[in-house]
Amino acid sequence: MTQDKAPAASAKDPLVVFTPSGKRGRVPTGTPVLDAARRLGVDLDSVCGGRGICSKCQVAPAFGQFAKHGITSNPDALSAWNATEQRYADKRGLPEGRRLGCQAQILSDVVIDVPPESQLHRQVIRKSASARAVEMDPAIRLHFIEVTPADMHAPSGDAERTAEALEAQWRISGARPALPVLRTLSQALQDGSGKITVALHHTHVDQPPQIVAAWPGLLDGDAYGLAVDLGSTTIAAHLVSLRSGEVVASAGRMNPQIRFGEDLMSRVSYAMMNPGGAAQMTAAVREALAALAGELTTEAGIPPDRLLDMTIVGNPVMHHLLLGLDPTPLGQAPFALATSSALDLGARDLGLATLPEGARVYLLPLIAGHVGADAAAVALAEDPGASDDLVLIVDVGTNAEILLGNRSRVLACSSPTGPAFEGAQISAGQRAAPGAIEAVRIDPATKEPRFRVIGCPLWSNEDGFAEATAGRGVTGICGSGIIEAVAEMRMAGLVDARGLIGSAAQTGSARMIPEGRTHGYLLHDASASVGPRILVTQADIRAIQLAKAALYAGARLLMDEMGVDEVDRVVLAGAFGAHISPLHALVLGMIPDVPPERVSSAGNAAGTGARIALCSLAARRRIEAQVHQITKVETAVEPRFQEHFVAASALPHAEAPFAHLRQVAPLPEPQFNAGDSGGRRRRGRGQASETI
């Protein structure tokens, strides 16, 4: 079925929500999933044209109650397993829970996940590893030893003689092998003629280390660790040499839990409303971590048995779901944590079967019920408590972690920004992938836009752009793109301070398209070639306003607690910080007003903190102590949060003057009326209306 011949859907037809893209829409009953994906612009691969041969269109339907989406997705939401799927499963196999998108038909409301391998354009996980000098002091260290042979006249075990060799040759006392190593130690000694390399896992200086791996002879190469930033939307992992600290490979993928809910409270709700729902989410994220570990060792050409340590940071809900702990207490006051302490576990305790049996996992401590190990990792990486000036550190994702501090005091909170900054809940929004608009500029005189898409260095008005993007086209707009688009519209006078979009008559631009009682700004139109028509709609503006107001309100609460009205500098962390200019962040009022040159990017600070902890036992001990010194501010029960939120809904703010911003970017001050398509605007109370 081609897109232009598809029958129109009605309000009674099934609603389908695709994850991780977040795209949704109604389709006629009986529409194949593959056709629904094409109709809604979802990135679902197919090579055979829907004949059930290539299996590229595999999807994973999710069942249960999804309060965030307003959907109850039942097992009979898709048509029954058919002969084509059975034939393919018999010949090549289909993972449990998967369906072929070209065969499964949509019969009722349903949530459908498109796994990474079925996505035509691989998602871009923009959480790269930044360089950071770290004094190497890893928990896992390699030691070559020569073990005395067994002597029937002085009997002792292989484990005991190995421990004696470590004490004699390395002055390491009391080392004992973990049970998995004990099973293989004798063979390693035999194969190495008594000469072996052992990996020791150190915890505290007053505790003996544990032998977690052994190889015959002198090991050629290093041991490795994995630093993981377990975000609610994306998972980023860095494979690190535990000898040099060098990042040898990095990879990322969408968090598969997205199919259960885009934000944290949606996932808590799913766990509450669906028996076994928490276990489903636990299994999904553990499977993703195991797959990432295998992917990275393969990419780096490293034997899997060398991956012996892992550090993981994430917010409290991600932390609890990974551990298999009940997340539902985090959904309501007092937001009780099952544990806030750092944890040192065996990888097999977390079901990470692709890692060696002796591999270890360290989870950084949590700060509070809504301020997790990711915020602790940011504090470890950026160390606000060592700053002479007052620094605000903002790590933005679906849930924002905010730190404010200097040498005298450090405060922390989280703020529920939602998925709009990730491109979700946006009319033409999508995750960051090739073809997505990532940067926007609007000429304030002509109101004409130009933009850049992921995968192409050219701007849309430059020669060669059409040819360079012809293969995949312009597919949608990601988080950084919609943020810049809204800020540029504000600077061009297309949006007023309240967030209302003007009409064509009010703005003088034919790109303002009526949409009922509101308007949208036409950013890109490829409908003539059956491509997307990308608008920035009034609903998109509102979604960004809600997200940025929550972010600003959280920062403002910390400033209230600190007793200040200004900060000295702002550090933007995460993918947001790396891809949004300080000017656009200030125009939207996402952060408190500072001179733009006092806004800097820290890259993926949470991931950096995870790498520091991976490479340094001292850093682990340091952050374990520091979290007890951080003052937690709970936004969910703070009375002033709503007051700050309302004022921060304006662009950039209803009350704060943003004097530093206005020195570098004077903002037009139109006032548009919702539903007014004529050529008049109100100037404000007591002022005459003016024709434009």
Side-chain angles (χ1 to χ4, degrees):
M1 181 183 296
T2 60
Q3 188 176 13
D4 55 341
K5 293 182 180 179
S10 72
K12 296 181 179 180
D13 284 323
L15 176 64
V16 56
V17 176
F18 284 96
T19 64
S21 67
K23 293 188 176 180
R24 59 191 289 153
R26 295 191 180 275
V27 296
T29 302
T31 299
V33 171
L34 180 59
D35 287 355
R38 288 171 173 168
R39 172 181 291 201
L40 297 174
V42 174
D43 198 24
L44 179 58
D45 201 0
S46 177
V47 174
C48 69
R51 292 176 289 177
I53 300 173
C54 71
S55 85
K56 299 291 186 183
C57 64
Q58 290 182 34
V59 296
F63 303 120
Q65 295 184 51
F66 298 86
K68 181 70 175 182
H69 301 310
I71 281 182
T72 298
S73 179
N74 295 314
D76 59 359
L78 298 182
S79 59
W81 181 266
N82 67 17
T84 300
E85 291 172 298
Q86 187 62 53
R87 183 172 64 250
Y88 187 88
D90 292 341
K91 292 179 66 175
R92 299 188 183 180
L94 274 177
E96 185 177 356
R98 294 281 180 88
R99 298 291 302 272
L100 294 183
C102 62
Q103 302 298 312
Q105 298 178 353
I106 298 170
L107 305 180
S108 61
D109 294 353
V110 65
V111 175
I112 297 175
D113 183 57
V114 181
E117 58 270 27
S118 298
Q119 295 170 17
L120 183 61
H121 303 117
R122 189 184 181 104
Q123 299 287 333
V124 179
I125 308 302
R126 305 203 279 191
K127 292 187 175 181
S128 60
S130 58
R132 186 64 64 93
V134 180
E135 183 175 345
M136 293 301 295
D137 175 31
I140 299 287
R141 302 173 204 169
L142 300 182
H143 299 275
F144 174 72
I145 54 175
E146 296 184 37
V147 180
T148 58
D151 184 347
M152 62 186 300
H153 300 292
S156 68
D158 291 336
E160 287 70 29
R161 286 182 289 107
T162 298
E164 290 169 1
L166 281 165
E167 183 160 15
Q169 298 164 37
W170 289 95
R171 297 184 180 179
I172 297 173
S173 302
R176 288 292 182 269
L179 181 59
V181 180
L182 194 58
R183 299 190 187 108
T184 61
L185 182 60
S186 297
Q187 189 64 51
L189 285 167
Q190 180 179 329
D191 293 344
S193 300
K195 299 176 181 179
I196 61 173
T197 301
V198 295
L200 299 185
H201 176 247
H202 300 260
T203 52
H204 295 278
V205 292
D206 57 345
Q207 295 180 357
Q210 187 177 51
I211 304 171
V212 295
W215 300 268
L218 176 62
L219 187 68
D220 181 18
D222 302 339
Y224 293 86
L226 201 63
V228 178
D229 176 11
L230 178 56
S232 52
T233 301
T234 60
I235 306 173
H238 307 294
L239 184 64
V240 179
S241 165
L242 295 180
R243 180 185 59 83
S244 67
E246 176 189 3
V247 176
V248 298
S250 297
R253 60 175 53 199
M254 306 304 294
N255 188 329
Q257 294 175 344
I258 286 177
R259 66 177 179 265
F260 304 103
E262 289 181 328
D263 57 45
L264 299 179
M265 289 305 102
S266 295
R267 293 179 207 177
V268 171
S269 175
Y270 185 86
M272 294 175 64
M273 299 172 66
N274 297 277
Q280 287 180 281
M281 289 184 278
T282 295
V285 74
R286 289 180 175 182
E287 180 182 340
L289 286 177
L292 264 178
E295 178 183 332
L296 284 167
T297 52
T298 299
E299 177 186 333
I302 292 168
D305 66 350
R306 306 287 181 86
L307 180 55
L308 292 174
D309 203 7
M310 180 184 292
T311 52
I312 302 177
V313 303
N315 61 60
V317 174
M318 294 300 96
H319 172 278
H320 279 39
L321 286 174
L322 172 65
L323 292 171
L325 303 175
D326 181 12
T328 56
L330 300 173
Q332 57 188 359
F335 314 111
L337 294 163
T339 179
S340 61
S341 300
L343 296 176
D344 198 331
L345 309 169
R348 296 300 175 94
D349 294 334
L350 295 182
L352 302 178
T354 60
L355 271 68
E357 281 192 279
R360 306 296 301 177
V361 177
Y362 177 80
L363 286 86
L364 273 69
L366 307 178
I367 297 177
H370 280 166
V371 188
D374 46 0
V378 172
L380 180 59
E382 295 303 311
D383 201 5
S387 177
D388 291 322
D389 55 6
L390 186 61
V391 57
L392 179 73
I393 305 170
V394 183
D395 190 352
V396 177
T398 307
N399 200 62
E401 284 76 39
I402 309 171
L403 298 167
L404 176 68
N406 54 22
R407 291 186 182 277
S408 65
R409 193 181 184 198
V410 178
L411 312 176
C413 75
S414 70
S415 198
T417 54
F421 288 150
E422 306 283 352
Q425 298 180 346
I426 302 299
S427 59
Q430 66 169 86
R431 307 296 180 189
I437 294 174
E438 63 171 342
V440 176
R441 300 292 182 270
I442 299 176
D443 187 304
T446 66
K447 318 300 183 187
E448 287 298 299
R450 58 189 176 100
F451 54 82
R452 198 174 60 225
V453 301
I454 296 175
C456 178
L458 300 174
W459 288 89
S460 58
N461 63 336
E462 292 184 293
D463 292 339
F465 176 83
E467 293 77 11
T469 58
R472 66 176 67 93
V474 179
T475 57
I477 187 166
C478 68
S480 62
I482 190 63
I483 289 169
E484 292 199 3
V486 176
E488 288 283 325
M489 290 172 68
R490 177 71 178 91
M491 287 190 288
L494 303 174
V495 170
D496 68 16
R498 296 169 299 168
L500 291 175
I501 301 176
S503 66
Q506 290 170 323
T507 63
S509 173
R511 287 186 172 271
M512 315 314 290
I513 308 299
E515 290 202 312
R517 290 181 54 81
T518 64
H519 298 85
Y521 177 70
L522 183 61
L523 190 58
H524 174 69
D525 189 359
S527 57
S529 56
V530 200
R533 190 167 182 258
I534 299 174
L535 287 167
V536 179
T537 68
Q538 189 66 69
D540 297 339
I541 301 284
R542 291 295 183 231
I544 293 298
Q545 285 180 280
L546 292 173
K548 77 94 179 180
L551 181 61
Y552 183 96
R556 186 64 239 190
L557 280 180
L558 296 188
M559 294 166 67
D560 289 349
E561 179 69 21
M562 188 68 81
V564 299
D565 290 322
E566 293 185 350
V567 300
D568 295 316
R569 59 188 176 95
V570 177
V571 176
L572 302 178
F576 161 76
H579 293 89
I580 303 298
S581 74
L583 178 63
H584 291 106
L586 288 166
V587 168
L588 288 186
M590 299 176 73
I591 54 178
D593 184 40
V594 294
E597 65 272 14
R598 299 288 288 170
V599 183
S600 62
S601 171
N604 180 20
T608 299
R611 285 193 292 122
I612 292 172
L614 181 66
C615 295
S616 172
L617 275 171
R620 296 184 186 187
R621 304 292 86 84
R622 187 165 66 250
I623 193 59
E624 288 171 12
Q626 285 179 354
V627 295
H628 297 294
Q629 309 302 319
I630 296 174
T631 301
K632 303 88 177 176
V633 175
E634 182 52 67
T635 59
V637 296
E638 177 59 49
R640 294 203 66 192
F641 181 84
Q642 185 64 26
E643 176 187 336
H644 288 313
F645 179 88
V646 171
S649 297
L651 304 174
H653 197 275
E655 298 170 0
F658 273 73
H660 294 299
L661 168 66
R662 294 179 188 275
Q663 288 178 7
V664 296
L667 299 178
E669 296 298 343
Q671 290 188 8
F672 303 128
N673 301 322
D676 181 8
S677 60
R680 302 183 68 84
R681 63 179 179 183
R682 292 181 182 173
R683 300 295 295 174
R685 183 176 299 177
Q687 292 180 297
S689 297
E690 176 181 296
T691 301
I692 60 171

